Amino acid sequence: MKKIMITGACGQIGSELVEKLRRDYGTDNVLATDIRKPAEMTGPFEILDVMDAEKMMQLAQDFEADTLMHMAALLSATAENNPVFAWNLNMGGLMNALETARKLNLQFFTPSSIGAFGPSTEKENTAQDTLQRPTTMYGVNKVAGELLCDYYYTKFGVDTRGVRFPGLISNVTLPGGGTTDYAVEIYYKAITEGHYTSYIAEGTYMDMMYMPDALDAIVDLMEADGDRLVHRNAFNITAMSFEPSQIAAAIKKYIPSFEMNYEVDPARQEIADSWPDSLDCSAAKEEWDFKANYDLDRMTKDMIEKLTLKLKNQAS
Ligand code: AKB
């Protein structure tokens, strides 16, 4: 990767990915694109609606990109509220990005998700290759996306790569419209209000990962020797699996007065119930040495330190 173009650069992953790639590869070698202009951004930026195939191609060509990272997508809860728009954006955007990669011979990354599994998949230690019958529009998009990326590799030789992300937790950009968002919101509320009302029920396990591990995983996979990759586009990766009372207990270690109660949102609970409790990520370990450095306690300590500082600075 020498000249990298990113779609969805203002999103939860995109905003931090741009910063990391600019640190690693040089500011001018990373073109950030999004449908809206960010409040702050130093370095190349262009407005791009991923539905605009022509502009996507033109921007990649003008930038002389050798890599395209397609991050723009609607998350699970938003997609479920607007399935037709989700299909059009998630699949239309992905097709435009894959065609750009094919025509310009770009290395390609796009994320899949734990949402690519459904209620008939085994819940624990979910295998890399297993039954995928998701019951959400987001899941349907993710499975179709995984297959499309495989297709572009086998049919056209595009160097497509991807992971199935779990819920991602970060202290920089808030996620929007996901089912796992509670695991980010809880830290903000713990610091600002000392209290959080969880929309996910006690006992609901989902895989999670701290953003620094997610960013390292993207770069490690993109830099991995292609000859070692058997799966390419949909590697299970995870760092931890927990349910709401466990994250609350981890926060209580650092904020002893923190309290949590529950007001379950049936729509997001149904999505969470259809997803795995924990993933088996042995294929990612074997094929490109995936590892995660943050467990729940280490992440919680870092989140509370960094967020406290950030919220204090914002207030002053
Ligand atoms: C969501 O909750 O929709 C995402 C995901 C797990 O893909 N965070």
Side-chain angles (χ1 to χ4, degrees), residues 75-77 113-114 138 165-168 177-181 275:
L75 292 184
S76 54
S113 156
I114 52 172
Y138 182 67
F165 273 133
L168 297 181
T179 303
T180 57
D181 296 6
W275 289 354

Side-chain angles (χ1 to χ4, degrees), residues 78-243:
T78 313
E80 218 39 38
N81 288 334
N82 204 340
V84 176
F85 178 58
W87 175 268
N88 289 338
L89 182 82
N90 289 351
M91 302 316 301
L94 178 59
M95 273 306 286
N96 291 341
L98 281 167
E99 274 297 283
T100 302
R102 180 179 74 79
K103 290 185 181 147
L104 301 180
N105 193 23
L106 312 180
Q107 197 191 21
F108 186 80
F109 176 89
T110 200
S112 185
S113 156
I114 52 172
F117 297 110
S120 51
T121 306
E122 71 274 11
K123 277 270 179 209
E124 277 164 37
N125 211 25
T126 301
Q128 174 66 45
D129 301 309
T130 187
L131 198 59
Q132 288 181 266
R133 304 290 294 171
T135 48
T136 62
M137 176 50 85
Y138 182 67
V140 170
N141 296 164
K142 289 301 181 191
V143 175
E146 291 179 3
L147 294 172
L148 262 178
C149 290
D150 281 348
Y151 179 79
Y152 268 71
Y153 172 65
T154 49
K155 177 89 179 171
F156 303 118
V158 180
D159 185 2
T160 54
R161 302 183 184 201
V163 296
R164 292 184 183 128
F165 273 133
L168 297 181
I169 295 158
S170 105
N171 49 61
V172 178
T173 306
L174 281 165
T179 303
T180 57
D181 296 6
Y182 91 89
V184 182
E185 290 169 9
I186 193 170
Y187 288 105
Y188 281 79
K189 293 284 184 188
I191 293 164
T192 56
E193 293 172 22
H195 176 264
Y196 181 64
T197 303
S198 174
Y199 61 80
I200 293 292
E202 187 168 6
T204 310
Y205 282 84
M206 284 184 277
D207 283 289
M208 302 280 175
M209 183 180 280
Y210 198 29
M211 190 60 86
D213 281 334
L215 301 179
D216 284 346
I218 295 174
V219 172
D220 289 350
L221 174 57
M222 292 302 274
E223 297 281 5
D225 176 358
D227 291 343
R228 284 180 66 196
L229 303 182
V230 179
H231 289 88
R232 303 199 74 89
N233 288 307
F235 284 99
N236 283 0
I237 60 169
T238 183
M240 59 195 100
S241 165
F242 57 74
E243 53 90 22

Side-chain angles (χ1 to χ4, degrees), residues 25 58 156:
Y25 299 92
Q58 196 59 54
F156 303 118

